[in-house]
Amino acid sequence: MAITAKMVKELREKTGAGMMDCKKALQETDGDIEKAIDYLREKGIAKAAKKANRIAAEGSTAIAVDGNTAVLFEVNCETDFVTKNDQFKQLLNELGEHLVKQKPADVEEALQQKLHGDGDTVETFINGAIAKIGEKISLRRFQIFEKSDQDAFGAYLHMGGRIGVLTVLEGTNDEELGKDIAMHIAASNPRYVSRDDVKEEEVNHEREILKQQALNEGKPEKIVEKMVEGRLNKFFEEICLLEQSFVKDPDQKVKKYVESKGASVKAFARYEVGEGMEKREENFAEEVMNQMKK
């Protein structure tokens, strides 16, 4: 199939590999992005598959807490300037209060609910803000957490809400400990709490990639298996919170640090504004085409 500039751009953002390497990988895999990622990793060109990190949409994450319920949510707008607007900040407060009290199952349900249980719907309320502020505004996503009286929430907003993290710690009321763990998550961006949360098929897929990588490096087959298991441990350290070195005390793993406080991590969510979203798509494709012609 024809390899487009858009496909090359997407593969570059996901792997950090060079443009011509990405183009060749796509040609070798008939345009299959996921297979192309594997191809680049097996060749040692890309260290690991990663989500596109280009922040294309503006907006803010926010956190609201009401007793034993808390919510992390993201609201998008068109320009960063709007996030500093008092009307936008009031919108975040209203939405946070609604979500944490009404606990909708998803965005679609939230938009159709009456704001705070009466009056206009959330969707009408947002549309009213759009009319006042003059920009498209949308509630993109949210995650609600519950805890017991013996547990603690940890809340952290980085750069005024560019990144938002909400954690739930069991066995402690120490909110500062919760915030410390949330700050670590903001910096280290784990995907799972522990290795037990990683699906078996994902582990097996990674194992195959690492095995092929080692064989391509010319390592003897008899030692490849041991090498792969060692590298798998590093893989878990990258994606699992409890396996990571704690940012405030790198000599300790997060798991040991939390346990030393008599607590455990139950769950977390981390949002970064605009992750996975893009704008000016045609311009990005044009930029890639121009670079390929050089």
Side-chain angles (χ1 to χ4, degrees):
M1 67 178 290
I3 306 304
T4 66
K6 180 181 176 182
M7 292 162 65
V8 173
K9 173 188 71 69
E10 182 180 351
L11 187 57
R12 285 191 74 199
E13 289 176 343
K14 288 188 173 183
T15 64
M19 190 174 298
M20 297 315 295
D21 287 327
C22 288
K23 185 177 180 183
K24 182 179 179 183
L26 287 164
Q27 289 170 337
E28 292 288 333
T29 57
D30 198 29
D32 187 309
I33 292 288
E34 294 305 316
K35 288 182 179 177
I37 291 172
D38 289 349
Y39 173 91
L40 289 169
R41 294 193 61 205
E42 288 168 4
K43 298 294 183 183
I45 296 170
K47 291 183 179 178
K50 59 180 182 178
K51 290 183 181 291
N53 57 7
R54 189 176 187 116
I55 304 301
E58 300 300 334
S60 182
T61 64
I63 295 169
V65 180
D66 181 30
N68 285 338
T69 305
V71 63
L72 168 68
F73 62 103
E74 177 184 352
V75 175
N76 295 127
C77 55
E78 295 178 53
T79 64
D80 182 56
F81 179 76
V82 164
T83 63
K84 300 171 178 63
N85 183 306
D86 286 340
Q87 289 177 318
F88 184 83
K89 292 177 181 177
Q90 181 60 29
L91 173 77
L92 291 179
N93 290 336
E94 295 279 353
L95 288 176
E97 185 179 337
H98 175 86
L99 293 170
V100 82
K101 288 184 180 298
Q102 300 302 320
K103 305 175 188 176
D106 51 38
V107 170
E108 288 71 24
E109 182 180 323
L111 293 175
Q112 298 311 310
Q113 289 178 330
K114 299 288 187 181
L115 188 66
H116 309 321
D118 57 16
D120 291 332
T121 64
V122 171
E123 186 171 33
T124 300
F125 173 68
I126 293 174
N127 287 338
I130 292 172
K132 292 176 184 176
I133 295 173
E135 280 196 12
K136 180 181 178 181
I137 296 170
S138 61
L139 171 62
R140 183 188 183 195
R141 53 182 172 165
F142 64 85
Q143 196 161 339
I144 294 171
F145 291 101
E146 303 278 358
K147 72 173 184 67
S148 74
D149 290 337
Q150 286 72 48
D151 305 330
F153 289 127
Y156 177 63
L157 296 176
H158 183 65
M159 293 177 64
R162 180 58 92 178
I163 296 173
V165 179
L166 183 60
T167 64
V168 184
L169 298 188
E170 292 184 313
T172 182
N173 294 125
D174 190 346
E175 292 183 357
E176 279 303 309
L177 173 63
K179 183 179 179 181
D180 282 346
I181 300 304
M183 290 176 70
H184 171 96
I185 293 166
S188 299
N189 196 14
R191 289 161 48 204
Y192 303 99
V193 173
S194 72
R195 64 171 66 196
D196 293 335
D197 299 322
V198 187
K199 291 182 180 179
E200 187 177 353
E201 51 263 42
E202 183 175 350
V203 177
N204 290 337
H205 178 261
E206 184 67 18
R207 184 178 279 111
E208 281 303 308
I209 293 289
L210 294 172
K211 181 178 179 180
Q212 195 58 49
Q213 200 177 72
L215 291 171
N216 286 345
E217 289 170 1
K219 300 293 190 291
E221 200 157 348
K222 60 183 179 181
I223 69 166
V224 163
E225 292 301 325
K226 286 186 177 179
M227 286 185 62
V228 166
E229 292 310 308
R231 291 179 179 182
L232 258 184
N233 287 331
K234 291 189 181 298
F235 167 70
F236 285 124
E237 287 176 9
E238 290 175 3
I239 67 172
C240 299
L241 170 63
L242 299 182
E243 305 279 334
Q244 296 177 338
S245 296
F246 185 43
V247 290
K248 281 194 167 184
D249 184 4
D251 292 332
Q252 284 196 78
K253 298 292 186 185
V254 171
K255 182 178 181 179
K256 291 293 184 185
Y257 182 79
V258 174
E259 285 178 348
S260 73
K261 305 291 184 179
S264 62
V265 181
K266 180 181 179 183
F268 74 84
R270 179 190 187 276
Y271 287 171
E272 186 163 348
V273 172
E275 59 191 345
M277 300 173 71
E278 292 183 7
K279 61 184 177 181
R280 296 187 300 107
E281 191 170 303
E282 67 282 355
N283 292 350
F284 291 146
E286 186 178 315
E287 288 169 13
V288 174
M289 285 296 274
N290 289 336
Q291 290 183 52
M292 290 178 75
K293 290 175 184 176
K294 292 180 181 178

